């Protein structure tokens, strides 16, 4: 048995012909070692570049969701190809060996995202103070404010590892 729900915030995720969905298995059941599976409708060719960049990031030892292309059959009815993505959360990162990472996620798509830290969701590993992650987020949002200034760029380079950021950016 499993629970299924439509997922995603973009219009293509809710297309009645081929919606994106999340499958949550009940009890101790697992598929590919996972209890939660996110099946994302490939909206355009950029989904293939996301898949490739996810795989390269994992190979480089960077935190990234493990993803693949999946053929979906529902009650033996072919529903098409989907992007099967591991959820991005603290447990998934810990499974990749990143045990001290927080996950910070902004789920709104408007101008408030970059100026209001309270609209971001923060998940921290057990025993880690969420206020430390919030403080880091506030510093990062301050550093990326517009207009861009040399002082803000210096703050930004102090907050991140420039080499890892460049590697990640190259993948995107």
């Amino acid at each position: 048995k499993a629970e299924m729900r439509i997922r995603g915030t973009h219009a293509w995720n809710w297309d009645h012909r081929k919606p994106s969905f999340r499958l949550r298995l009940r009890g101790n059941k697992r598929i590919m070692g996972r209890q939660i599976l996110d099946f994302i409708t490939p909206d355009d060719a950029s989904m293939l570049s996301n898949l490739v960049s996810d795989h390269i990031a994992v190979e480089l030892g960077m935190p990234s969701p493990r993803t693949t292309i999946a053929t979906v059959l529902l009650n033996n009815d072919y529903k098409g190809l989907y992007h099967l993505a591991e959820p991005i959360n603290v447990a998934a990162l810990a499974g990749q060996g990143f045990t001290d990472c927080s996950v910070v996620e902004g789920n709104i798509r408007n101008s408030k995202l970059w100026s209001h830290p309270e609209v971001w969701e923060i998940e921290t590993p057990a025993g880690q103070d969420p206020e430390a992650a919030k403080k880091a987020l506030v510093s990062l949002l301050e550093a990326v404010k517009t207009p861009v200034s040399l002082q803000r760029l210096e703050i930004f380079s102090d907050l991140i590892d420039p080499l890892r950021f460049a590697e990640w950016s190259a993948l995107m």
Side-chain angles (χ1 to χ4, degrees):
K1 300 252 178 185
E3 296 173 22
M4 185 174 119
R5 72 169 177 85
I6 304 299
R7 65 162 309 278
T9 57
H10 291 288
W12 70 78
N13 289 316
W14 291 79
D15 186 328
H16 67 90
R17 294 167 298 196
K18 188 176 177 184
S20 294
F21 63 95
R22 171 171 284 171
L23 189 66
R24 183 182 306 265
L25 303 172
R26 295 184 185 159
N28 296 338
K29 293 186 170 71
R30 300 274 188 279
I31 296 175
M32 297 170 48
R34 304 177 195 169
Q35 191 169 23
I36 297 172
L37 298 116
D38 286 331
F39 293 90
I40 304 165
T41 300
D43 59 316
D44 58 31
S46 71
M47 272 306 216
L48 291 178
S49 68
N50 291 346
L51 183 71
V52 170
S53 64
D54 289 343
H55 283 279
I56 293 171
V58 169
E59 289 299 315
L60 290 173
M62 300 171 74
S64 184
R66 289 173 280 209
T67 58
T68 191
I69 296 293
T71 302
V72 174
L73 296 163
L74 187 59
N75 297 327
N76 289 327
D77 183 26
Y78 177 75
K79 297 299 180 185
L81 296 176
Y82 279 79
H83 181 172
L84 175 57
E86 178 179 51
I88 300 172
N89 56 36
V90 168
L93 290 175
Q96 294 179 33
F98 299 96
T99 57
D100 63 344
C101 294
S102 296
V103 175
V104 181
E105 183 176 8
N107 276 327
I108 63 169
R109 300 210 183 333
N110 63 40
S111 60
K112 281 187 173 186
L113 186 64
W114 300 106
S115 57
H116 296 276
E118 70 275 3
V119 301
W120 293 75
E121 298 172 22
I122 299 174
E123 180 190 9
T124 57
Q128 194 176 90
D129 181 14
E131 286 304 311
K134 185 174 183 177
K135 184 178 177 185
L137 171 64
V138 168
S139 296
L140 183 63
L141 292 178
E142 183 63 34
V144 298
K145 272 186 181 177
T146 54
V148 175
S149 71
L150 184 56
Q151 181 185 10
R152 285 199 183 109
L153 287 175
E154 288 171 354
I155 292 169
F156 182 71
S157 67
D158 288 341
L159 294 171
I160 61 148
D161 177 338
L163 179 59
R164 295 300 269 180
F165 184 71
E167 289 172 341
W168 178 83
S169 295
L171 293 173
M172 296 294 114

